[in-house]
């Protein structure tokens, strides 16, 4: 037995010796050939130094030796005559190969682009990430790029290897902080070092009930983020109203967030490459959004390859395309449109009933009605790299909802029509000029325009009354941003911005004749500065922003802080704080609503009845991460001053009067996430207290309309195979507060009007909200170049009837002259999507 083991060891050592003997320095090999064939090689010792080749397996003729050397080395061997042979890099053409992979997941990147610089030579990777290029000049370089990743440039001689070299690409950061958790809860959801959360739509995995990487639906899985009426047009971050979220799309401030009156996002999730959510510790370059910042970014790199995709779900279809015009110019375009005006699916019917419950459209059962509803959005982007230092980017986005409702009456053989219209639109455009002056200093000059418009008209045939409403926001901004990198660990950012906002509101009624028109304009400017430090276990960002409001002759100074420090192995402490302001807000008009579905209109701060909203926020927490286990515990305190009763949406006897107050939100957020190769499971819990203070009310302190004391969610993602994934999850939270009429005295008289006599604001609560969602996805390839994904989602599997709002209206047919109105969340609702990408 021992002799057999010794024999095996001897054979192994002998094989290593033989292999080692097959390797020889190129220079030594050439000396042997010179002796065998009486020739002379002319070369530079410096060029040949360190080059090793494998000796041929048999004796070769001189011409065969030259062919062998030309095919296996980086040098060009050229026979001048019978005696002399030159060895050089000059005009050498080689065959290169490689495999392009994701440096983190090690998955192959299909259709990655390989371009030989300063030539027309190029190719793309196969389904397995492989590529081969022949006749490549030895002294050239190759640029390897892929959408969503940092491009790299390599000397081609590094790709002249056997076996072919693996080339790992790192995910493009798009000016976002370093990623510390690449797959947070699910694939494509990332936790950044500054505490923000990013959704990478191209890597989106699966979440309960979702069929698309919709950022506004996705962020609701994070602790501290709720939607009290399940609408993504009403995202509430740490007790704030929806209008306190700053929405940025490629640097453009957007005023409209939802299609289908808030049930789906207005931003095409397949065009929005990355979206980052910041709850606190915001960079000083951002203003407005006293509750959060949602920064959406599209592809910003020239890919030099034709690509695109498209798909549909049970509400709409969409498509996008990237068209390279040249190595320096590329065009990106996308479009999405609903087919709800052509085809009514079960998903559409549930969404429609949810949106229009308890208003004139839903309640009308007596007359023939027709409803024509559709939405669309499109975008267009031009990318132009002027040279290595200068680049230009131009964007255009348009979002629109359109509702046309007609009701027919027949009287004495005559047909009459009652028509109502509602149109919402947000148009945005910007231009950005970026310059990298040197390796350390860069600048970015940008300007944007954003215009939001809502037009509505409602004709009542019984009173022969036509009411129209108009709300328009027009904002323009110019911004200069500079960045200086002192070192690899210290960055210095400075900037200045000038901004103008104009908001118009108009209401007209024909009978009796009434017109109200208001238009306000506000000029403001700001300068900002911040230092960012990143080294090993420490991250710190300290910023300061100085705002000046020209119309009010008022300064506001806003410090910002964001610190993350490792204390012991795998445990980090984090501290964040900020002061912010906001000059636009939405007023909720209960009396003059848009068909019962749109009650919010944008208004502008006037430093009197509508003050500048100011916030103070601080949070402190701890993070633990080890062996795919992440635990996050954060306590927060937020105080927001300058709110009005009209923009908070609670009912009271003086709701039509102007009342200025504040709210105070404090609580604790907890999240635990455990991942394995196939499973990701998490539990999220938020405890919060959110109270209003309005000194003109009695009592002056009472629960906020957005107060959710306890909120718990849990989910499980399971990858059956890398291509088949399932997800299920549940949400359980307290119901929100609401106001009831005074028992026994439910109505009061205001002039010639009878109104509801409300009791203490927000004294009662809705019953607990509970919902179970599930989804599944399957990926397959139609061909080597076309990838496909099918997703199914199920909302509210138990079909629980969750009440999301309760209010009261005058009803003379009731004993108390008031009627209770309840609105409910979506019932059991299926949805499906199919997509292809090429």
């Amino acid at each position: 037995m021992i002799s057999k083991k010794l024999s095996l060891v001897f054979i192994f050592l002998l094989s290593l010796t033989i292999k080692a003997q097959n390797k020889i320095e190129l220079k030594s090999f050439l000396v042997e050939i010179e002796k065998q064939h009486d020739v002379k090689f002319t070369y530079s010792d410096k060029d040949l130094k360190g080059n090793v080749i494998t000796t041929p397996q048999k004796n070769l003729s001189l011409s065969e030796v030259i062919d062998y050397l030309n095919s296996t080395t980086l040098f060009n061997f050229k026979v001048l005559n019978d005696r002399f042979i030159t060895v050089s890099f000059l005009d050498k053409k080689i065959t290169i190969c490689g495999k392009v992979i994701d440096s983190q997941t090690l998955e192959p990147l299909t259709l990655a682009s390989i371009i030989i610089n300063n030539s027309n030579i190029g190719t793309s990777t196969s389904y397995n990430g492989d590529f081969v290029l022949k006749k490549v000049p030895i002294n050239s370089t190759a640029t390897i790029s892929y959408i969503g990743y940092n491009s790299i440039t390599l000397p081609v001689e590094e790709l002249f290897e056997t076996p072919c070299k693996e080339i790992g690409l790192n995910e493009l950061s798009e000016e976002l902080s370093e990623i510390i958790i690449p797959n947070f809860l699910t694939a494509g959801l990332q936790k950044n070092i500054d505490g923000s959360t990013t959704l990478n739509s191209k890597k989106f995995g699966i979440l309960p009930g979702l069929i698309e990487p919709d950022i506004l639906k996705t962020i609701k899985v994070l602790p501290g983020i709720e939607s009290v009426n399940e609408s993504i047009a009403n995202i509430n971050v740490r007790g704030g109203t929806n209008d306190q979220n700053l929405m940025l799309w490629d640097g453009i401030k957007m005023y409209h967030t939802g299609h289908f009156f808030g049930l789906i996002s207005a931003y095409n999730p397949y065009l929005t490459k990355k979206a980052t959510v910041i709850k606190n510790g915001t960079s000083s370059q951002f203003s407005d959004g006293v509750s959060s910042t949602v920064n959406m970014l599209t592809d910003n790199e020239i890919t030099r390859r034709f690509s695109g995709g498209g798909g549909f779900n049970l509400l709409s279809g969409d498509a996008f395309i990237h068209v390279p015009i040249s190595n320096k110019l590329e065009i990106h375009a996308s479009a999405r449109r609903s087919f709800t005006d052509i085809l009514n699916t079960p998903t559409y019917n549930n969404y429609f009933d949810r949106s229009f419950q308890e208003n004139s459209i839903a309640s009308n059962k007596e007359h023939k009605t027709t409803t024509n509803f559709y939405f669309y959005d499109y975008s267009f982007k031009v990318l132009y790299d002027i040279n290595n230092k200068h680049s230009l980017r131009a964007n255009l986005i348009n979002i629109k909802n359109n509702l046309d409702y007609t009701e027919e009456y027949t009287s004495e053989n005559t047909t009459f029509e009652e028509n109502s219209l509602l149109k919402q639109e947000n148009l945005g455009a910007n231009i950005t000029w970026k310059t990298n002056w040197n390796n350390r200093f860069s600048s970015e000059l940008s300007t944007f325009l954003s215009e939001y418009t809502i037009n509505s008209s409602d004709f009542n045939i019984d009173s022969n009354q036509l009411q129209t409403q108009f709300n328009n926001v027009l904002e323009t901004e110019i911004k200069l941003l500079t960045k200086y990198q002192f070192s690899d660990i210290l960055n210095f950012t400075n900037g200045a911005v000038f901004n103008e906002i104009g908001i118009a509101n108009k209401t007209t009624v024909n009978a009796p004749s009434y017109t109200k028109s208001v238009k306000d304009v506000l000029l403001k400017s700001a300068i900002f500065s911040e230092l960012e430090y990143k080294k090993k276990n420490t991250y710190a960002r300290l910023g300061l922003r100085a705002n000046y409001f020209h119309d009010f002759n008022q300064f506001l100074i806003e410090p910002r802080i964001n610190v993350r420090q490792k204390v012991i192995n795998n445990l980090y402490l984090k501290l964040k704080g900020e002061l912010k302001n906001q000059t636009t807000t939405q007023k909720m008009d209960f009396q003059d609503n848009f068909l019962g579905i749109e009650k919010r209109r944008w208004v502008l701060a006037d430093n009197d009845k509508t003050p500048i909203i100011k916030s103070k926020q601080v949070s402190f927490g701890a993070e633990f991460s080890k062996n795919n286990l992440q635990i996050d515990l954060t306590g927060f305190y937020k105080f927001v001053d300058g709110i009005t009763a009209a923009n908070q949406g609670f009912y009271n006897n003086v709701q039509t009067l102007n009342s200025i107050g504040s709210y105070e939100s404090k609580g604790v957020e907890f999240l635990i996430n455990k991942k394995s190769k196939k499973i990701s499971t998490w539990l999220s819990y938020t405890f919060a207290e959110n109270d209003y203070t309005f000194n003109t009310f009695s009592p002056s302190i009472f629960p906020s309309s957005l107060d959710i004391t306890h909120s718990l969610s849990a989910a499980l993602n399971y990858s059956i195979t890398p291509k088949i994934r399932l997800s299920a999850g549940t949400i359980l939270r307290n119901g929100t507060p609401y106001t009831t009429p005074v028992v026994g005295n439910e109505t009061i008289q205001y002039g010639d009007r009878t109104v509801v006599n409300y009791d203490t604001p927000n004294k009662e609560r809705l019953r607990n909200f509970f919902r179970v969602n599930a989804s599944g996805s399957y990926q397959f390839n139609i061909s080597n170049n076309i990838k496909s994904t099918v997703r199914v989602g199920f909302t509210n599997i138990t079909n629980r009837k969750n009440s999301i709002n309760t209010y009261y209206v005058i009803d003379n047919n009731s004993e108390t002259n008031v009627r209770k109105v309840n609105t409910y969340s979506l019932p059991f609702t299926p949805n499906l999507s199919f997509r292809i990408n090429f």
Side-chain angles (χ1 to χ4, degrees):
M1 187 69 175
I2 295 176
S3 62
K4 286 185 178 180
K5 289 183 178 180
L6 289 174
S7 298
L8 291 173
V9 172
F10 176 76
I11 292 171
F12 175 71
L13 293 174
L14 181 62
S15 66
L16 291 179
T17 304
I18 292 172
K19 288 182 179 179
Q21 288 175 346
N22 287 336
K23 297 288 185 179
I24 186 172
E25 285 191 358
L26 178 58
K27 183 178 178 181
S28 299
F29 180 74
L30 296 182
V31 171
E32 292 183 8
I33 299 300
E34 286 177 334
K35 293 177 181 178
Q36 291 179 17
H37 298 280
D38 191 23
V39 294
K40 183 65 177 178
F41 291 94
T42 59
Y43 52 81
S44 167
D45 288 339
K46 182 180 179 181
D47 288 342
L48 265 61
K49 185 177 180 180
N51 281 275
V52 177
I53 67 167
T54 302
T55 56
Q57 297 296 320
K58 61 179 181 178
N59 292 329
L60 303 175
S61 65
L62 179 60
S63 62
E64 289 175 331
V65 169
I66 299 302
D67 290 341
Y68 176 75
L69 291 172
N70 275 324
S71 63
T72 58
T73 74
L74 294 171
F75 299 95
N76 188 31
F77 292 81
K78 186 175 181 180
V79 178
L80 298 179
N81 50 45
D82 294 341
R83 175 68 175 164
F84 293 100
I85 303 170
T86 61
V87 183
S88 69
F89 286 106
L90 188 63
D91 297 328
K92 172 70 175 181
K93 301 290 181 67
I94 60 174
T95 297
I96 63 173
C97 66
K99 182 173 185 176
V100 183
I101 60 173
D102 183 305
S103 60
Q104 290 185 349
T105 66
L106 304 183
E107 293 182 356
L109 299 180
T110 305
L111 294 178
S113 176
I114 296 89
I115 301 293
I116 305 304
N117 298 315
N118 301 316
S119 76
N120 58 359
I121 304 173
T123 188
S124 58
T125 57
S126 68
Y127 168 70
N128 295 318
D130 299 321
F131 71 90
V132 176
L133 270 176
K134 297 181 179 180
K135 297 183 179 180
V136 178
I138 183 63
N139 57 349
S140 59
T141 58
T143 296
I144 300 153
S145 59
Y146 188 74
I147 295 176
Y149 291 77
N150 287 305
S151 300
I152 62 171
T153 300
L154 298 173
V156 296
E157 59 187 86
E158 293 188 17
L159 304 174
F160 185 71
E161 293 182 1
T162 303
C164 298
K165 181 177 182 176
E166 282 193 344
I167 305 151
L169 297 185
N170 295 317
E171 193 174 352
L172 189 65
S173 65
E174 289 286 1
E175 303 297 340
L176 300 176
S177 298
E178 178 185 347
I179 295 171
I180 55 173
I181 304 177
N183 291 314
F184 179 58
L185 306 185
T186 188
L189 205 60
Q190 303 159 342
K191 189 72 175 289
N192 303 313
I193 197 171
D194 65 354
S196 61
T197 304
T198 296
L199 173 64
N200 183 331
S201 61
K202 292 187 179 356
K203 291 189 173 184
F204 178 71
I206 191 170
L207 286 173
L210 297 191
I211 58 167
E212 294 178 321
D214 187 324
I215 178 61
L216 299 181
K217 287 187 176 181
T218 299
I219 65 175
K220 290 195 291 181
V221 305
L222 303 175
I225 300 180
E226 306 282 353
S227 176
V228 295
N229 65 352
E230 78 176 351
S231 165
I232 56 88
N234 191 24
I235 298 294
N236 314 118
V237 180
R238 290 180 174 172
T241 53
N242 178 72
D243 57 346
Q244 293 174 1
N245 302 318
L246 172 64
M247 295 288 173
L248 295 172
W249 188 89
D250 262 358
I252 305 169
K253 183 179 177 182
M254 303 297 290
Y255 286 87
H256 183 56
T257 58
H259 282 319
F260 221 128
F261 309 105
L263 292 181
I264 61 175
S265 172
Y267 308 104
N268 189 332
Y270 299 102
L271 179 73
T272 307
K273 176 186 164 186
K274 286 188 178 182
T276 299
V277 182
I278 307 166
K279 293 188 284 187
N280 187 16
T282 316
S283 168
S284 62
Q285 66 175 290
F286 298 119
S287 185
D288 292 320
V290 295
S291 279
S292 75
T293 298
V294 179
N295 189 19
M296 294 169 280
L297 300 169
T298 62
D299 280 316
N300 206 42
E301 297 296 317
I302 293 178
T303 62
R304 298 185 180 90
R305 67 184 183 89
F306 180 82
S307 62
F312 65 87
N313 54 43
L314 296 184
L315 294 173
S316 63
D318 75 281
F320 69 92
I321 193 170
H322 295 175
V323 182
I325 308 300
S326 68
N327 287 339
K328 294 185 176 182
L329 179 64
E330 192 163 298
I331 294 174
H332 298 174
S334 78
R336 175 174 56 163
R337 192 191 189 281
S338 69
F339 44 76
T340 51
D341 52 335
I342 302 171
L343 176 66
N344 293 347
T345 64
T347 304
Y348 166 78
N349 292 333
N350 282 357
Y351 275 38
F352 185 86
D353 292 342
R354 160 64 182 82
S355 297
F356 297 103
Q357 58 184 305
E358 294 302 336
N359 59 44
S360 59
I361 293 179
S363 60
N364 195 326
K365 307 296 183 183
E366 300 177 1
H367 306 285
K368 180 181 178 182
T369 63
T370 58
T371 304
N372 183 22
F373 170 74
Y374 65 89
F375 62 81
Y376 67 77
D377 57 73
Y378 62 82
S379 66
F380 190 77
K381 184 170 186 176
V382 178
L383 304 88
Y384 179 50
D385 288 345
I386 302 172
N387 52 40
N388 292 334
K389 290 187 175 181
H390 301 274
S391 63
L392 283 174
R393 301 291 185 264
N395 293 277
L396 175 71
I397 183 172
N398 191 33
I399 298 166
K400 189 169 185 177
N401 283 280
N402 191 92
L403 172 66
D404 186 347
Y405 170 73
T406 302
E407 183 177 354
E408 291 186 2
Y409 293 81
T410 301
S411 177
E412 298 180 356
N413 298 322
T414 303
T415 300
F416 302 92
E417 286 190 353
E418 181 177 304
N419 184 252
S420 299
L421 298 172
L422 175 62
K423 296 181 180 180
Q424 291 174 292
E425 186 171 13
N426 201 157
L427 175 68
N430 81 337
I431 298 177
T432 302
W433 172 30
K434 185 174 181 179
T435 302
N436 295 313
W437 299 101
N438 54 47
N439 292 335
R440 294 186 180 275
F441 182 67
S442 65
S443 65
E444 188 174 290
L445 180 65
S446 62
T447 180
F448 80 74
L449 176 147
S450 182
E451 183 176 20
Y452 168 78
T453 304
I454 183 167
N455 260 309
S456 78
S457 64
D458 188 9
F459 177 66
N460 188 317
I461 196 170
D462 293 330
S463 61
N464 196 32
Q465 185 183 76
L466 174 65
Q467 175 180 295
T468 67
Q469 294 190 28
F470 172 78
N471 181 211
N472 175 257
V473 182
L474 180 62
E475 179 172 1
T476 57
E477 180 179 285
I478 184 168
K479 181 178 181 180
L480 175 64
L481 179 72
T482 66
K483 293 187 178 182
Y484 185 78
Q485 186 176 1
F486 287 108
S487 65
D488 292 339
I489 63 173
L490 186 62
N491 297 316
F492 189 36
T493 301
N494 294 279
V497 59
F498 180 80
N499 180 283
E500 180 183 61
I501 308 175
I503 297 182
N505 277 288
K506 185 176 182 179
T507 300
T508 64
V509 180
N510 69 331
S513 181
Y514 170 80
T515 300
K516 182 181 179 181
S517 181
V518 179
K519 184 176 182 180
D520 297 300
V521 178
L522 179 63
L523 299 177
K524 58 181 180 177
S525 54
I527 56 174
F528 54 88
S529 182
E530 69 182 19
L531 277 171
E532 187 178 41
Y533 176 84
K534 289 186 291 185
K535 185 178 181 181
K536 292 184 179 179
N537 302 318
T538 302
Y539 173 82
R541 186 174 66 204
L542 305 176
L544 188 69
R545 184 181 181 97
N547 306 276
Y548 178 66
F549 304 91
H550 298 253
D551 300 75
F552 310 146
N553 192 26
Q554 181 178 349
F555 276 101
L556 283 181
I557 306 298
E558 298 173 340
R560 315 276 175 87
I561 183 173
N562 192 325
V563 178
R564 184 176 186 268
Q565 176 63 51
K566 183 177 181 180
V567 288
I568 58 175
N569 290 340
N570 308 306
L571 179 63
Y572 290 81
L573 297 181
K574 53 184 182 178
L575 172 67
K576 300 178 188 177
E578 65 181 29
L579 268 64
K580 294 182 78 177
N581 78 86
Q582 182 170 320
T583 55
T584 57
T585 188
Q586 285 182 319
K587 177 183 177 182
M588 295 189 67
D589 195 333
F590 293 100
Q591 303 302 322
D592 299 324
N593 62 77
F594 294 162
L595 306 177
I597 50 178
E598 282 297 326
K599 301 179 181 180
R600 294 182 172 91
R601 288 189 279 178
W602 287 100
V603 295
L604 189 61
D606 59 10
N607 213 31
D608 181 20
K609 293 182 178 180
T610 307
I612 299 172
I613 299 175
K614 303 170 187 176
S615 72
K616 302 174 183 178
Q617 185 173 189
V618 64
S619 61
F620 181 76
E623 293 177 354
F624 176 82
S625 179
K626 185 178 181 181
N627 298 329
N628 290 319
L629 173 67
Q630 283 88 37
I631 301 175
D632 192 311
L633 180 66
T634 302
F636 68 89
Y637 173 82
K638 182 168 74 170
F639 178 78
V640 178
D641 192 23
I643 65 172
T644 65
N647 66 24
Q648 294 301 304
F650 61 86
Y651 291 80
N652 62 88
N653 288 343
V654 291
Q655 63 191 32
T656 58
L657 303 179
N658 189 73
S659 301
I660 299 172
S662 62
Y663 73 84
E664 183 182 67
S665 179
K666 53 184 180 290
V668 177
E669 300 167 352
F670 172 76
L671 177 68
I672 181 170
N673 177 212
K674 175 63 177 176
K675 295 190 292 288
S676 65
K677 186 175 181 180
K678 291 190 173 185
I679 294 176
S680 176
T681 183
W682 68 89
L683 175 72
S684 169
Y685 171 72
T686 301
F687 168 79
E689 293 181 348
N690 189 2
D691 293 322
Y692 290 134
T693 298
F694 284 93
N695 292 327
T696 57
F697 296 166
S698 180
S700 60
I701 300 176
F702 53 94
S704 163
S705 301
L706 307 176
D707 181 47
I708 298 176
T709 310
H710 302 280
S711 179
L712 178 72
S713 65
L716 172 70
N717 288 353
Y718 178 57
S719 297
I720 300 175
T721 70
K723 297 182 181 295
I724 303 176
R725 298 172 179 174
L726 300 175
S727 179
T730 185
I731 301 168
L732 174 63
R733 60 172 172 81
N734 289 134
T736 52
Y738 70 98
T739 307
T740 59
V742 175
V743 178
N745 189 23
E746 286 81 4
T747 64
I748 56 176
Q749 198 73 20
Y750 268 122
D752 58 351
R753 288 192 308 124
T754 302
V755 298
V756 178
N757 183 25
Y758 283 105
D759 204 342
T760 302
N762 292 344
K763 187 177 181 180
E764 304 296 329
R765 280 188 180 269
L766 302 174
R767 71 169 183 159
N768 292 343
F769 182 98
F770 176 75
R771 188 164 68 190
V772 178
N773 301 325
S775 57
S777 71
Y778 173 60
Q779 295 179 332
F780 61 96
N781 296 318
I782 297 176
S783 68
N784 288 339
N785 296 328
I786 301 178
K787 292 184 176 182
S788 301
T789 304
V790 176
R791 289 191 176 102
V792 292
F794 304 97
T795 301
N796 197 4
I797 291 178
T798 62
N799 201 31
R800 177 182 169 94
K801 196 172 185 179
N802 288 302
S803 178
I804 55 177
N805 191 22
T806 293
Y807 60 96
Y808 295 82
V809 296
I810 298 296
D811 186 352
N812 295 326
N813 296 322
S814 170
E815 289 185 11
T816 59
N817 291 327
V818 297
R819 177 169 57 90
K820 184 178 182 180
V821 179
N822 290 308
T823 57
Y824 299 96
S825 67
L826 281 170
F828 171 70
T829 303
N831 207 346
L832 174 146
S833 71
F834 171 74
R835 298 204 61 79
I836 61 170
N837 288 281
F838 58 87

